């Protein structure tokens, strides 16, 4: 479902130009759980922004569900994000002063889904992400770090996207809470067949994936299957 | 995003910083309420000046003795009103000018007036029978003085309501009692209807006596101090003015019109120039209030720009999960409009209350027109659009990645 061919990304121009991605190619199939690893500054976030249609590559093509999105304009990209992609960021995932339920409904609000349906869908994906009903009416600033990330996962799921992208989703969490969040991703992948791309620089985190792509200085170093993925954490 | 969701988002955003939102709204409240209040006071003043000019009669020309005011200054016209050049015969002659519907003569002066243990100093006017018709005076009680009183030199008087309360404070029936004007006893035969005290002279603080009695017992000569001429219609006033001027010049054997020993004031001219002045004043007041409205609008823009900067990451997040440019710009524009419209509604209420308060003091009769409310509402919404547009556009054009990275 993802076909990336020879993607480059250059920031700036002239003397200050910096090539963050130097020709990246890979395919990702439906239902895969891929971890992208690499040291800081290697271009992971840059790649994720392109995969998530937040940005376009300088050259190369990116096909999502057989549609070339690499040359689309802002508004078309916004529509692709709305329909096909769910994001989980490292920090600042939820709107402040807004309830958990409404945060999760937000993509549906922008998609114009009517009130009854979006509430039902938001509740369903909150439960799937391991949240309990007791928290639905909480404001986002009344949650723990692990709960925030799970609400963010619920929001990423709610529009039934082809692809869930997570950029260091456990970067701000302690190991135990991080394990719970990663377990949530793993469950979504194993039980619901979601395609997940997870970005991290921690090998431990990558252990949860079926396939690990290593990048360094904007180039792919290795792209390996990872048969013995870590056992899922069942603490929830 | 539908209207309901937009309202909800706007409420959450504006209530997040209540103090700042309220202060911003206050700027608009002050602007809108001062526009409403000042314009209604201006219009009230215009109306009260107009009614007080109109209350002296309609289609009226007022002839007074003395030199025409020369454009050079006021000095040369000294003696106007005191000069003795007009007589009751002049008035009779003017009555035959075409399109004159009525003519009244007056002999006015201020005298000490006493009653049972009370006294006052007021304007005593000797008048002919036509006076109430020409000068729009109505009788509340008893009757007005007439020409047979005048011809028989009967000492009767009609009092204005203010004079009645000054002289007969105990509230007993004034008709039938007597007053002493300059020491001479007059019998009260009537009381006029109150005209209201606004205006340059108080028509309610007055005593009317028969013309000839005034000439004989008070002024001691046969001249009159004013001739009031009522034209048949508003269109005829200019023609009546010209004909009456020519007639009086002929009767007084004056060939040079600039040397006339009388002057004629046209009520319509007074009304027109008063209206011009008060309308200009109303615009001026409105413009001053408009400046504070503009300042309020800049307050809105300032707050919205701060909000957009503060919420940069929120904007980035919204864009990442599928908000289009139009969703973002609409959200911020509606926040700005909500601030100004709330401010506008409170401002209309406050401006209305100020205007009613001024009304209650009795100084002016203010009125708030529906059109000024509609305009204030439109203006406040417009200010929201104008001053909210730039911040909204700035928010909408943010790059989602940079917005998310913003610290
Ligand atoms: N907007 C930008 N303008 C210029 N250079 C940029 C920009 N964004 C990223 N870069 C550069 O591109 C390179 C890759 O950045 P990127 O954020 O993709 O790294 P990363 O792999 O996500 O690192 P980390 O693990 O620290 O998040 C870095 O050297 C960075 O300085
Ligand atoms: Mg990064």
């Amino acid at each position: 479902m993802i076909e990336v061919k020879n993607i480059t990304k250059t920031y700036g121009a002239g003397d200050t130009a910096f090539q963050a991605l130097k020709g990246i190619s890979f395919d990702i199939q439906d239902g895969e759980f891929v971890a992208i690893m690499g040291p800081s500054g290697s271009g992971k976030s840059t790649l994720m922004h392109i995969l998530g249609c937040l940005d376009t590559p300088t050259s190369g093509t990116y096909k999502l569900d057989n549609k070339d999105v690499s040359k689309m304009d802002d508004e078309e990209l916004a529509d692709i994000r709305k329909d096909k992609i769910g994001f989980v960021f490292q920090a600042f995932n939820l709107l402040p002063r807004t309830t958990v339920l409404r945060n999760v409904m937000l993509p549906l609000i922008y998609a114009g889904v009517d009130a009854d349906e979006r509430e039902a869908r938001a509740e369903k994906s909150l439960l799937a992400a391991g949240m309990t009903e007791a928290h639905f009416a909480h404001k986002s600033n009344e949650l723990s770090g692990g709960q925030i990330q799970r609400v963010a996962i619920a929001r990423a799921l709610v529009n039934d996207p082809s692809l869930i992208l997570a950029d260091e989703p456990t970067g701000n969490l302690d190991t135990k809470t991080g394990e719970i969040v990663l377990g949530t991703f793993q469950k979504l992948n194993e039980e619901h067949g979601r395609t997940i791309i997870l970005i991290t620089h921690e090998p431990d985190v990558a252990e949860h994936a079926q396939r690990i792509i290593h990048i360094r200085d904007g180039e792919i170093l290795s792209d390996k299957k990872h048969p013995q993925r870590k056992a899922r954490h069942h603490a929830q | 995003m539908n209207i309901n969701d937009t309202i909800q988002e706007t409420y959450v955003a504006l209530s997040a910083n209540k103090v700042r939102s309220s202060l911003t709204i206050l700027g608009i409240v002050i602007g809108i309420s001062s526009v409403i209040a000042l314009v209604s006071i201006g219009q009230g003043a215009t109306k009260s000046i107009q009614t007080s000019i109109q209350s002296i009669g309609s289609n009226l020309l007022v002839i007074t003795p003395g030199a025409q005011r020369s454009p050079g200054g006021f000095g040369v016209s000294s003696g106007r009103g005191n000069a003795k050049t007009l007589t009751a015969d002049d008035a009779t002659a003017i009555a035959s000018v075409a399109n004159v519907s009525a003519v009244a003569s007056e002999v006015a002066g201020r005298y000490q007036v006493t009653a049972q243990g009370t006294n006052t100093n007021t304007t005593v006017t000797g008048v002919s029978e036509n006076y109430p018709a020409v000068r729009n005076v109505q009788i509340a009680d008893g009757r007005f003085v007439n020409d047979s009183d005048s011809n028989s030199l009967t000492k009767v008087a009609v009092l204005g309501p203010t004079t009645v309360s000054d002289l007969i404070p105990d509230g007993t029936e004034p008709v039938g009692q007597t007053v002493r004007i300059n020491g001479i006893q007059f019998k009260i035969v009537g009381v006029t209807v109150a005209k209201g005290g606004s205006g340059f002279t108080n028509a309610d603080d007055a005593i009317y006596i028969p013309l000839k009695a005034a000439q004989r017992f008070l002024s001691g000569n046969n001249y009159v101090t004013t001739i009031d001429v009522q034209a048949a219609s508003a269109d005829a006033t200019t023609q009546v003015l010209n004909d009456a001027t020519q007639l009086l010049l002929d009767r007084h054997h004056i060939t040079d019109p600039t040397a006339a020993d009388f002057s004629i004031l046209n009520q319509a001219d007074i009304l027109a120039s008063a209206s011009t002045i008060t309308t200009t004043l109303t615009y001026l007041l409105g413009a001053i209030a408009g400046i504070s409205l503009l300042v309020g609008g800049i307050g809105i823009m300032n707050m919205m720009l701060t909000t957009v900067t503060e919420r940069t990451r929120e904007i980035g997040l919204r864009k990442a999960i599928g908000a289009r440019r139009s969703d973002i710009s609409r959200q911020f524009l509606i926040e700005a409009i909500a601030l100004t419209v709330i401010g506008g509604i409170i401002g209309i209420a406050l401006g209305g209350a100020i205007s009613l308060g001024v009304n209650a003091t009795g100084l002016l009769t203010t009125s708030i027109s529906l059109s000024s409310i509609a305009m204030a509402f439109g203006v406040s919404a417009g200010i929201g659009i104008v001053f909210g547009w730039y911040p909204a556009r700035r928010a909408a054009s943010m790059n989602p990645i940079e917005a998310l990275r913003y610290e």
Side-chain angles (χ1 to χ4, degrees), chain A residues 4-205:
Chain A
V4 171
K5 250 198 216 108
N6 231 345
I7 275 184
T8 68
K9 180 73 189 178
T10 308
Y11 288 114
D15 284 351
T16 59
F18 178 82
Q19 198 172 27
L21 296 178
K22 301 172 181 160
I24 301 258
S25 305
F26 57 76
D27 290 355
I28 292 175
Q29 307 307 315
D30 245 338
E32 273 193 283
F33 188 158
V34 182
I36 295 178
M37 284 195 67
S40 189
S42 54
K44 305 185 295 292
S45 294
T46 305
L47 179 59
M48 187 192 96
H49 292 151
I50 291 170
L51 294 177
C53 297
L54 287 165
D55 206 353
T56 49
T58 310
S59 69
T61 56
Y62 168 30
K63 280 190 188 165
L64 177 62
D65 289 340
N66 292 322
K67 216 192 260 170
D68 189 353
V69 296
S70 45
K71 307 263 171 338
M72 283 186 173
D73 67 20
D74 269 12
E75 296 293 82
E76 290 170 313
L77 289 177
D79 287 344
I80 297 278
R81 293 197 292 271
K82 184 160 63 192
D83 298 337
K84 306 207 160 192
I85 295 165
F87 284 99
V88 180
F89 298 101
Q90 178 174 355
F92 199 78
N93 263 304
L94 304 183
L95 293 186
R97 306 175 299 272
T98 304
T99 64
V100 164
L101 196 61
R102 193 167 172 86
N103 258 298
V104 176
M105 287 192 304
L106 213 54
L108 301 179
I109 289 174
Y110 285 122
V113 176
D114 71 60
D116 288 344
E117 190 191 334
R118 71 188 183 216
E119 193 159 327
R121 279 169 66 176
E123 282 172 4
K124 205 176 118 212
S125 68
L126 273 165
L127 293 173
M131 291 297 290
T132 52
E133 253 170 79
H135 291 106
F136 288 1
H138 280 45
K139 297 274 169 67
S140 52
N141 45 330
E142 296 163 1
L143 299 177
S144 74
Q147 286 168 334
I148 288 176
Q149 291 311 75
R150 278 189 282 166
V151 174
I153 294 170
R155 192 197 50 217
L157 280 175
V158 80
N159 55 349
D160 204 14
S162 323
L163 177 63
I164 294 172
L165 285 168
D167 191 357
E168 312 222 22
T170 58
N172 281 349
L173 304 177
D174 62 55
T175 321
K176 190 161 161 267
T177 319
E179 285 293 307
I180 294 171
V181 171
L182 291 168
T184 310
F185 279 113
Q186 209 170 328
K187 178 177 140 202
L188 289 173
N189 174 250
E190 287 170 2
E191 292 178 10
H192 302 270
R194 298 287 178 173
T195 314
I196 295 168
I197 301 178
L198 187 145
I199 288 176
T200 184
H201 56 249
E202 294 172 69
D204 261 9
V205 172

Side-chain angles (χ1 to χ4, degrees), chain A residues 102 106 109-110 112, chain B residues 1-3 5-6 9 318 327 330:
Chain A
R102 193 167 172 86
L106 213 54
I109 289 174
Y110 285 122
Chain B
M1 199 179 255
N2 66 29
I3 299 164
D5 292 318
T6 312
E9 295 277 329
R318 286 176 185 276
D327 291 318
R330 184 169 348 112

Side-chain angles (χ1 to χ4, degrees), chain B residues 32-43:
Chain B
I32 291 282
S33 63
S34 48
V35 168
I36 296 251
L38 290 181
V39 168
S40 88
I41 288 169
Q43 284 173 342

